[in-house]
Amino acid sequence: MATSQSTAFGALLRRYRTRAGLTQEQLAERAGLSARAITALERGVNRAPQRETLRLLADALALTPEERATLEVAARRRSSGPSPHEVVSQWGSQAARPPLVGRAHEVALLAQHLDGKGPPLLLLCGEPGIGKSRLLQETALLASARGMTILEGGCHWNTCQEPYSPIITALERHLAHDSPTQRRADLRGCLWLARLLPELEETLGQPTASYPLAPEQERRLTFAAVARFLTNIAGPGGVLLVIDDLQWFGPDVTDLLTYLVRAASGIGLRVIAAYHDTDVQIPLPLATRIITMVRNSEAARLELAPLTASEANDLLARLLEECPDDDEHVRGLVLARADGVPFYLVSCAQALRTGALAQGTLEEVPWDIGESVRLRLTILPEAAQDVVSVAAVIGQEVSGKLLARASGRPAHEALAALDAACRARLLVEDETGTYRFTHNVIWEVMVADMGTTRRQMLHRRIAEALEQENSEQWLEALVYHYTHSDQREKALPYLERAASRSMAQRAHGTAEIFYWQQAALLGEMGREIDAAQVYEKLGTLLRIVARHDEAREVLARSAETYRAAGDAESLARVLAHIAQVPAQSNPPDGESAPLPMPNGSGGSGFENEERERS
């Protein structure tokens, strides 16, 4: 029996042959092979084609260099299993990916990027559904053919993730496939990596120094440990870091990415990241960093356009190859409404194949992407619609265990609902029991359509489910969901804990965000004295990172509150802090100020920092 991998190779060969307009007999004649050999390859009966056979087929089909590499990788996977430099992709198997059509120029640029031409960071941008994630899949395939080690990570739209989450996720995914011996080799010289992955302390030990280090030096050593790890795991062709949804990057992971890009030549590192630039306000720090990196030739930007009419027609034809009732009238209607956006075509073709759309009523269906998603939702059972709504509020990825608990339904009913959502291709489950939306546009439409009251209620249910986990892992998620719920005051203790943990991780920008959120929420609740205490911490943090003007302003706000409340002792304390703020202004734009952080001895750590600085 042919394996799934051999079937994938056979399907790929058949696709190339069909595109060339050749029968099996005609291909056999061109390649100097027998028609029986071509049939055996396409059916998966022959699962180990010789290299010379592959060359003859590629020449006969006039394949591009990238297509040749794709065919060779499929054959190698079939005959000898995965390369030791490959990883399990978060995007699923090759068979599950839609065909790539009309991106020859982009694929050529991606190949050049992997070959070391141009800046180390390549940014893919465009509207949602334009095909960025599909090109990331193709990049991973090309990198595998070049013997590169591939690490994949992604960002989320909200703050329920650790400060360095995308990089941490990429490292965790790689380490999960290591044997104990290989893990020790990969972690050689990476002692400070335990700052980001505390679970590695048993293997690495706790990082120490013979003398006290300034917090900014600890941060630098942690970043250097990540770079050393990437050097250790690099394959013969180097290492590729793939990141999706870059627009959700926080300030600290942006710093780490910048460090890695600037060290890329010594690591053998290439980075490709995707972000969508419509209907999303990219955070100013990230936008500024991107502009600076492009100006400094550290990054290049590739904007994706919709498919041309002929390319869209080709893609739809491939998507509907096995649709028995396909006709030109149906294709014309779909192409007219899709307007060259690949996801529109994939979504419509999927609905046609599964019968979710009746061809007789095709003209009456609103074909913009929002209506397509809504239509696919309406055919789900009510329980499945509810569970998918909960998943949309949680985020683009969620564990099945959390999703079932937050749904408020019995376990068996929640699992049945999840199965229905997966069959409708709204959600997909990976081998770890994690569910994600098959495309982020589906998630975006669902979130946009949800009413405020329902969204707040779901946020509260999700937070209550997370509280049952009783784990520090969920601090940021608890902060996010409670601050967006109908019981926002419950976020306060988690904001304090999240800020403290961010400080311990040397994630200064993230800690600042949590302090601002905590102070603002306390102010809204009328707890002005408590807010003033948070402003004290924030002002002290701003002072030690040399943002002196801002520190004075925040501390003055705290002092004014204490003065109005008649709290002389607290007022005197804050005035003493203000007196210690240096007179000079903040660093000029474009210059980086040192970002010291408290040590790991417990408490707020500010007192220890003051002693170090003095």
Side-chain angles (χ1 to χ4, degrees), residues 405-423:
R405 181 178 295 168
S407 71
R409 297 177 178 272
H412 69 279
E413 187 176 344
L415 291 175
L418 284 169
D419 287 342
C422 289
R423 286 194 298 271

Side-chain angles (χ1 to χ4, degrees), residues 221-454:
L221 289 170
T222 301
F223 286 8
V226 176
R228 176 60 184 270
F229 177 81
L230 296 180
T231 304
N232 290 346
I233 67 172
V239 59
L240 172 67
L241 177 59
V242 181
I243 299 174
D244 206 357
D245 289 321
L246 181 70
Q247 69 272 4
W248 305 123
F249 257 33
D252 299 296
V253 71
T254 301
D255 291 342
L256 176 52
L257 179 64
T258 302
Y259 180 95
L260 294 176
V261 168
R262 290 173 178 170
S265 60
I267 302 173
L269 171 68
R270 305 300 284 177
V271 183
I272 181 167
Y275 67 95
H276 61 81
D277 53 2
T278 59
D279 302 320
V280 171
Q281 183 62 50
I282 299 176
L284 182 60
L286 176 59
T288 302
R289 191 67 61 87
I290 288 175
I291 293 171
T292 301
M293 295 177 76
V294 171
R295 183 184 299 132
N296 294 342
S297 299
E298 295 169 337
R301 185 172 175 271
L302 175 60
E303 185 170 357
L304 302 185
L307 300 177
T308 65
S310 61
E311 292 166 348
N313 185 66
D314 188 10
L315 173 58
L316 187 60
R318 298 191 191 188
L319 292 169
L320 296 178
E321 278 180 350
E322 300 177 3
C323 187
D325 298 322
D326 178 31
D327 60 43
E328 292 300 321
H329 175 65
V330 171
R331 289 192 188 190
L333 291 173
V334 172
L335 290 169
R337 303 300 179 91
D339 198 25
V341 177
F343 177 63
Y344 291 17
L345 295 167
V346 173
S347 178
C348 294
Q350 174 69 23
L352 286 167
R353 288 200 305 268
T354 59
L357 293 178
Q359 292 187 16
T361 61
L362 191 60
E363 291 183 90
E364 303 173 11
V365 177
W367 281 99
D368 61 277
I369 190 63
E371 292 303 318
S372 177
V373 172
R374 295 181 191 104
L375 179 63
R376 291 167 65 182
L377 281 169
T378 59
I379 66 174
L380 290 177
E382 182 180 352
Q385 293 184 41
D386 288 345
V387 169
V388 173
S389 295
V390 175
V393 175
I394 293 176
Q396 289 153 300
E397 290 189 5
V398 56
S399 74
K401 179 181 177 182
L402 173 61
L403 188 50
R405 181 178 295 168
S407 71
R409 297 177 178 272
H412 69 279
E413 187 176 344
L415 291 175
L418 284 169
D419 287 342
C422 289
R423 286 194 298 271
R425 293 293 298 160
L426 292 169
L427 297 177
V428 62
E429 181 186 17
D430 66 19
E431 65 276 5
T432 67
T434 297
Y435 290 84
R436 70 178 186 278
F437 286 92
T438 52
H439 196 286
N440 62 0
V441 176
I442 296 174
W443 161 80
E444 290 174 7
V445 170
M446 294 195 63
V447 171
D449 283 356
M450 196 174 300
T452 301
T453 301
R454 175 166 172 76

Side-chain angles (χ1 to χ4, degrees), residues 443-560:
W443 161 80
E444 290 174 7
V445 170
M446 294 195 63
V447 171
D449 283 356
M450 196 174 300
T452 301
T453 301
R454 175 166 172 76
R455 187 185 299 113
Q456 289 178 342
M457 179 268 292
L458 291 177
H459 276 300
R460 173 171 46 82
R461 280 171 44 187
I462 294 163
E464 291 170 348
L466 287 170
E467 282 182 319
Q468 298 178 40
E469 297 286 342
N470 192 28
S471 170
E472 291 290 303
Q473 174 187 356
W474 301 109
L475 275 180
E476 286 80 11
L478 282 162
V479 166
Y480 176 77
H481 290 295
Y482 267 136
T483 54
H484 288 78
S485 75
D486 51 6
Q487 295 183 6
R488 301 179 65 215
E489 68 278 4
K490 289 190 174 181
L492 289 171
Y494 300 111
L495 280 165
E496 176 63 30
R497 288 166 57 185
S500 297
R501 189 173 77 167
S502 296
M503 296 286 282
Q505 290 181 316
R506 280 55 182 166
H508 318 90
T510 305
E512 179 187 349
I513 291 171
F514 286 134
Y515 280 134
W516 278 117
Q517 287 181 315
Q518 187 182 9
L521 182 55
L522 286 166
E524 292 173 12
M525 296 169 59
R527 295 170 56 178
E528 299 296 338
I529 296 297
D530 292 334
Q533 293 173 352
V534 176
Y535 283 130
E536 276 193 70
K537 296 180 181 180
L538 179 57
T540 307
L541 171 61
L542 293 170
R543 174 164 57 86
I544 64 176
V545 299
R547 290 162 59 186
H548 303 130
D549 292 345
E550 295 171 70
R552 278 190 294 271
E553 180 181 349
V554 170
L555 290 170
R557 183 184 304 184
S558 181
E560 184 60 32

Side-chain angles (χ1 to χ4, degrees), residues 179-193:
S179 66
T181 301
Q182 185 61 49
R183 173 174 289 204
R184 286 191 294 271
D186 287 349
L187 294 173
R188 186 176 63 255
C190 302
L191 188 65
W192 287 89
L193 197 59

Side-chain angles (χ1 to χ4, degrees), residues 64-74 76 141-142 145-146:
T64 67
E66 290 73 25
E67 291 169 339
R68 288 172 182 261
T70 301
L71 193 66
E72 290 174 0
V73 169
R76 186 175 74 244
L141 186 63
L142 295 174
R146 286 162 168 75

